Amino acid sequence: MDSALSASAKRVQDALNSFGVDCRVKELGESTRTAVDAANAVGCEVGQIVKSLVFRGKESGKAVFVVASGANMVNEKVLASLTGEKIERATPDFVREQTGYAIGGVSPVGHPAPLTTFIDEDLLGYTELWAAAGTPNAVFALTPEQLCHITSGQVAAIKK
């Protein structure tokens, strides 16, 4: 089954397998590029969509990875206080360099190296979540517990 996946989606599936979680990447006919698109495509609430966002520390230049509920905006001031430095939104090139994926398909797993990660606490209120899987039309379902496991992220109150 995995052989039918595109290279980026297969990389996500391989990463999920390496964590020992029972999650299956699905490539859909419709776009899942935005949280609303993804929710419509899989038939869930926008809040159940895991938005994978990359910020950059202004002083350190280090990536800060955030997985947020699709219904929420990230409070960058809170994120800055969590990281101990001012942050800025990452450029598309920086996102691809740090995650290995283009914006619109950034997965919470399968990055070239571990990233400092924060998890929107609102995601823990759902029983099922959906995350991007490497392309703008690939997704996988997972539980909040699985998200915490595969990202090793710190759960935080980061919504605006």
Side-chain angles (χ1 to χ4, degrees), residues 6 99 121 160:
S6 67
T99 67
E121 67 179 2
K160 199 179 261 184

mmCIF file of all heavy atoms in Angstrom, residues 6 99 121 160:
data_model
loop_
_atom_site.group_PDB
_atom_site.id
_atom_site.type_symbol
_atom_site.label_atom_id
_atom_site.label_comp_id
_atom_site.label_asym_id
_atom_site.label_seq_id
_atom_site.Cartn_x
_atom_site.Cartn_y
_atom_site.Cartn_z
ATOM 1 N N SER A 6 3.244 9.167 -2.676
ATOM 2 C CA SER A 6 4.307 10.010 -3.216
ATOM 3 C C SER A 6 5.506 9.943 -2.266
ATOM 4 O O SER A 6 5.388 9.510 -1.122
ATOM 5 C CB SER A 6 3.818 11.450 -3.349
ATOM 6 O OG SER A 6 3.596 11.995 -2.062
ATOM 7 N N THR A 99 12.128 21.479 7.827
ATOM 8 C CA THR A 99 11.170 20.369 7.949
ATOM 9 C C THR A 99 11.289 19.348 6.822
ATOM 10 O O THR A 99 10.846 18.221 6.982
ATOM 11 C CB THR A 99 9.713 20.877 7.956
ATOM 12 O OG1 THR A 99 9.388 21.424 6.663
ATOM 13 C CG2 THR A 99 9.492 21.921 9.050
ATOM 14 N N GLU A 121 -2.448 23.428 23.421
ATOM 15 C CA GLU A 121 -3.192 22.613 24.391
ATOM 16 C C GLU A 121 -4.621 22.302 23.934
ATOM 17 O O GLU A 121 -5.198 21.291 24.355
ATOM 18 C CB GLU A 121 -3.215 23.302 25.763
ATOM 19 C CG GLU A 121 -4.020 24.593 25.796
ATOM 20 C CD GLU A 121 -4.045 25.258 27.172
ATOM 21 O OE1 GLU A 121 -3.408 24.734 28.106
ATOM 22 O OE2 GLU A 121 -4.715 26.297 27.290
ATOM 23 N N LYS A 160 -3.975 32.721 20.365
ATOM 24 C CA LYS A 160 -4.169 34.175 20.480
ATOM 25 C C LYS A 160 -5.558 34.454 21.017
ATOM 26 O O LYS A 160 -6.497 33.794 20.693
ATOM 27 C CB LYS A 160 -4.007 34.808 19.093
ATOM 28 C CG LYS A 160 -3.741 36.284 19.134
ATOM 29 C CD LYS A 160 -3.576 36.822 17.749
ATOM 30 C CE LYS A 160 -2.117 36.966 17.395
ATOM 31 N NZ LYS A 160 -1.893 37.570 16.100
#
